[in-house]
Amino acid sequence: MEPETLAQAGTEETTGGDPATLKNYIGGRWVESAASETIDDIDPATGEVLARVPLSTTADVDAAAAAARAAQPAWAALAVAKRARAVFALREALWAHQDELTRLVTQDMGKALDDARGEVGRGIESTENACGIPNLLKGETLEGVATGVDVEMWRQPVGVVAAITPFNFPAMIPLWFLPYAIACGNTFILKPSERDPRTSQRIVELIDGIDQIPAGVVNLLHGAHEAVDGLLDHPEIDAISFVGQATTALHVMERGTKSGKRVQALGGAKNSMVVMDDADLDLAVPAMMQSAFGNAGQRCLAGSVAVVVGDEARREEVRSALAEAASTLPTGNGSEEGVVCPPMVGADARDRVSDAVDRAVGEGSEVVVDGRDRTNDAGALMGPTIVTAPDLESELAREELFGPVLALVEVDDLDSALDFVNASRYGNASVIFTASGEAVRRFRHEVEAGMVGVNVGVPAPVAWFPFAGWKDSMVGDLHANGHDAVEFYTRKKVVTSRWQPAKKGAAFGTH
Ligand code: NAD
């Protein structure tokens, strides 16, 4: 049975218009959390409370881990083609509910409908890639490593996998992990962001309606720090996929590996966009607007520093082109047609970013475009803001603000641009706008980043390639998506075999 709406399965009955309290999904059943505390999931466009999110306890973690562990052997024993078909059924369900998931993303965390549609589409692409699991899982063989001896390498599931995900891509990031993990024969626990978990809730409701995915294979656990730490410590959990802030990534890596788990932890970012003096501004500036202000700058790939290369006249030309575009950029609630810069996830986030701009101004920044005075009913909107960096090591130039703020840095040449970019402690993404093949060749070779863009503002994740950053933007080694996902969710086993003839002198295999 496939539930029609959120209120039907994963939520408690609403009474008198009160927002519903979400339920966990454990062992194929929707169950109330043992939590005594909840926090509110709000619509950043209106301030309306959409749901109450239980802050699950270690008792809930125990239940989810036990259910996932119990389901894992039978799931792993299923023919790989059947697991592929189960993931394909998930792909079909996501495809059929794209519009609904898109609207949920916009309502829950604010981003514009076009962006939300894009992220749901990327999540579906990861699911599609995982449908090819029989091919992706194939191992290696070498015949005759010694006389009569052959060696094979198999991939077997790691066991129970938990994913801990951030607020800014509530559809796409869970789908970087879930389809690959279960396709490889693992069972799965998803702990979505407590700020906007209703998209995950809906995806799991869809899974509940798919007969090929048995109870316990996918579990959903709501909550925040206690739930995360419970997952990190739990002896029945074998691997952790994490995405969030750099400090949380480090915590997850340290605590998860301490209890012997395999961990991949993708962290924060501060991404530069280098604008060379030969770049076509008609192409570069719109791409930079999308990168800096799309999703209100709440993307790990957001270009948050413009590094402008050139003389005084060129700097002035770029500055005024950026200022004009930013001050006319469609800004407002994400469900309004054509909006590029939507509200941030909440008023607290908006205030934090606005305060950082105030501090930069105190340190000598010049405000080129000021969005601090623009807001909406929920107090979560901030307009596109462009500010010169007070100096190259300032908070504005170096720290992740995760809001609609573009810092301006001006340098003389590509050498200085690369020096600035590579001095960052982060290395998620970097892009260059130029017409010069020579500059591109140097940039893509020398820049220290996991994702590199050439004349594109956002070098977005592509399902068939690994996705992650370098340096403090990622702890661990295997990236998300692509073949790295299969590497992360499997253990390699090497089998060395010698088959002797049954009797001395008898031909092997002829009796
Ligand atoms: P966050 O680190 O606050 O939260 C991420 C997850 O960790 C949530 O599920 C949360 O409940 C949990 N968590 C947070 N603090 C914790 C703590 N102290 N102990 C235990 N659990 C904790 O991240 P966020 O604000 O939701 O997301 C935004 C961040 O994610 C930004 O820094 C952004 O750059 C980063 N991000 C990175 C990528 C990437 O691919 N590198 C992608 C998207 C977002």
Side-chain angles (χ1 to χ4, degrees), residues 247-301:
T247 45
T248 326
L250 205 54
H251 167 75
V252 166
M253 174 58 75
E254 286 172 356
R255 193 153 174 163
T257 50
K258 200 167 174 196
S259 65
K261 296 181 193 0
R262 179 180 289 205
V263 179
Q264 57 178 183
L266 283 64
K270 185 78 178 180
N271 308 309
S272 290
M273 300 186 283
V274 175
V275 189
M276 296 299 289
D277 53 4
D278 61 357
D280 179 346
L281 295 186
D282 289 342
L283 298 177
V285 169
M288 292 170 78
M289 291 295 110
Q290 284 285 351
S291 180
F293 305 123
N295 198 7
Q298 300 169 119
R299 288 190 190 123
C300 67
L301 296 176

Side-chain angles (χ1 to χ4, degrees), residues 165-168 191 194 225 242-245 248 267-268 300 400 467:
T165 55
F167 80 82
N168 65 328
K191 204 304 283 173
E194 62 276 24
H225 302 189
F242 170 86
V243 183
Q245 298 181 47
T248 326
C300 67
E400 180 177 50
F467 178 82

